[in-house]
């Protein structure tokens, strides 16, 4: 089975080959792979005074049940990029409005998780990067996992947001993940952790969108914009103009339950 079929048919329990996050010192939650500032690509903010670098590298292989993927890791206020050993299905975690990309640059495939929102929004930084390497990109796809799925799951599951235990509070909250396959499936995946192993989850919803890897399809999103607000507005219209196919919804399945940990 491919990854989408696995998500739908084995929705009761997905098992990751390694935890999707881990406990750090003081019970701080950290992603499964570390990220570090990149020295290969130079992406800086438009703030010439700070010159803050916002590109990191981090990721690695992971299996979900019998499906092999590569993960690219989110880092707040950054663009995370992972160089793939070859063109492969990719996954990223903890979406709440960020954007995911898969592209081929100079013959090498990369995946990316682009932070959007807040003081360190990276929309313009990503556009500037793509503009510089546009002629060297032979395939390009990007999408924003559907946050509406996450909102519905939270309303159905009543997560324990007020828990004094940060780990238990995190485990009670549904998660929105994104997957891009080599066949052009852009998948929004909403899950709920089954226990505190950070490896076992149940699927709450799966939505599939097909956008393709023709960079010209995304040209309107990658133009040099005069302002961050104008760029974000253009991106928002693009996402709203594309509707995905709901492949699975636990809340509309018979005998489906969603309870707190």
């Amino acid at each position: 089975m491919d990854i989408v079929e696995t998500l739908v048919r084995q929705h009761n329990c997905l098992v990751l080959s390694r935890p999707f996050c881990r406990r750090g010192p003081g019970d701080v939650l950290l992603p499964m792979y570390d990220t570090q500032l990149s020295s290969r690509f130079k992406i800086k903010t438009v703030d010439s005074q700070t010159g803050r670098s916002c590109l990191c590298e981090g990721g690695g292989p992971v299996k979900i049940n019998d499906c092999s993927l590569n993960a690219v890791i989110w880092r707040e206020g950054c663009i995370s990029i992972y160089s793939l050993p070859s063109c492969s299905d990719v996954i990223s975690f903890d979406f709440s409005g960020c954007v995911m990309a898969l592209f081929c640059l100079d013959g090498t495939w990369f995946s990316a998780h682009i932070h959007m929102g807040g003081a360190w929004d990276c929309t313009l930084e990503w556009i500037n990067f793509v503009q510089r390497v546009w002629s060297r990109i032979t395939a390009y796809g990007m999408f924003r996992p559907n946050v509406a799925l996450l909102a519905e799951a939270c309303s159905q599951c009543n997560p324990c947001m007020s828990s004094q235990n940060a780990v238990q509070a995190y485990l009670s909250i549904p998660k929105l993940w994104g997957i891009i396959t080599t066949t052009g499936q852009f998948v929004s995946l909403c899950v709920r952790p089954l226990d505190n192993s950070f490896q076992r989850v149940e699927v709450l919803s799966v939505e599939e969108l097909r956008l393709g890897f023709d960079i010209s399809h995304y040209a309107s999103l990658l133009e040099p914009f005069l302002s961050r607000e104008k760029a974000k507005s253009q991106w928002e219209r693009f996402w709203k103009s594309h509707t995905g196919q709901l492949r699975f919804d636990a809340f509309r399945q018979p005998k489906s339950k969603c309870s707190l940990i």
Side-chain angles (χ1 to χ4, degrees), residues 162-186:
S162 60
S163 173
Q164 293 183 352
N165 185 312
V167 172
Q168 289 304 313
Y170 178 81
L171 288 169
S172 76
I173 301 171
K175 316 296 174 197
L176 181 62
W177 298 349
I179 295 174
I180 303 179
T181 73
T182 57
T183 56
Q185 296 159 293
F186 296 72

Side-chain angles (χ1 to χ4, degrees), residues 84-122:
L84 303 173
S86 60
C87 184
S88 66
D89 298 343
V90 295
I91 185 170
S92 197
F93 308 93
D94 288 333
F95 284 88
S96 59
C98 293
V99 171
M100 185 178 180
L102 177 64
F103 60 100
C104 185
L105 172 64
D106 293 334
T108 300
W109 284 88
F110 296 87
S111 54
H113 187 132
I114 306 152
H115 178 90
M116 297 190 66
W120 299 116
D121 179 273
C122 295

Side-chain angles (χ1 to χ4, degrees), residues 3 17 19 27 30 79 81 92 99 104 129 152 156-157 159 171 184-185 197 200 221-222 240 242 245 252 258:
I3 182 62
S17 58
D27 262 356
L30 302 170
I79 298 167
I81 285 186
S92 197
V99 171
C104 185
F129 167 69
E152 179 182 10
Q156 295 281 352
C157 294
L171 288 169
Q185 296 159 293
S197 69
R200 299 174 67 250
L221 305 182
L222 301 170
K240 288 184 176 180
H242 293 79
Q245 176 190 4
R252 292 170 175 80
C258 184

Side-chain angles (χ1 to χ4, degrees), residues 164-253:
Q164 293 183 352
N165 185 312
V167 172
Q168 289 304 313
Y170 178 81
L171 288 169
S172 76
I173 301 171
K175 316 296 174 197
L176 181 62
W177 298 349
I179 295 174
I180 303 179
T181 73
T182 57
T183 56
Q185 296 159 293
F186 296 72
V187 182
S188 299
L189 170 64
C190 194
V191 302
R192 186 183 72 95
L194 288 173
D195 53 41
N196 60 5
S197 69
F198 297 107
Q199 288 185 259
R200 299 174 67 250
V201 300
E202 67 172 328
V203 176
L204 300 178
S205 54
V206 179
E207 183 182 86
E208 180 184 343
L209 183 65
R210 288 187 176 270
L211 293 170
F213 294 105
D214 182 350
I215 192 171
S216 65
H217 182 65
Y218 307 90
S220 64
L221 305 182
L222 301 170
E223 298 173 355
F225 289 93
L226 297 178
S227 70
R228 195 174 302 274
E229 291 71 24
K230 184 177 179 180
K232 289 176 68 65
S233 176
Q234 183 80 349
W235 283 35
E236 185 68 23
R237 287 195 296 270
F238 182 88
W239 307 128
K240 288 184 176 180
S241 68
H242 293 79
T243 303
Q245 176 190 4
L246 194 61
R247 295 287 303 272
F248 176 79
D249 186 344
F251 306 115
R252 292 170 175 80
Q253 299 295 315

Side-chain angles (χ1 to χ4, degrees), residues 7 10 19 92 123 128 132 150 170 178 201 216 237:
L7 300 178
Q10 301 177 4
S92 197
T123 308
N128 292 338
R132 292 205 308 271
L150 182 62
Y170 178 81
V201 300
S216 65
R237 287 195 296 270

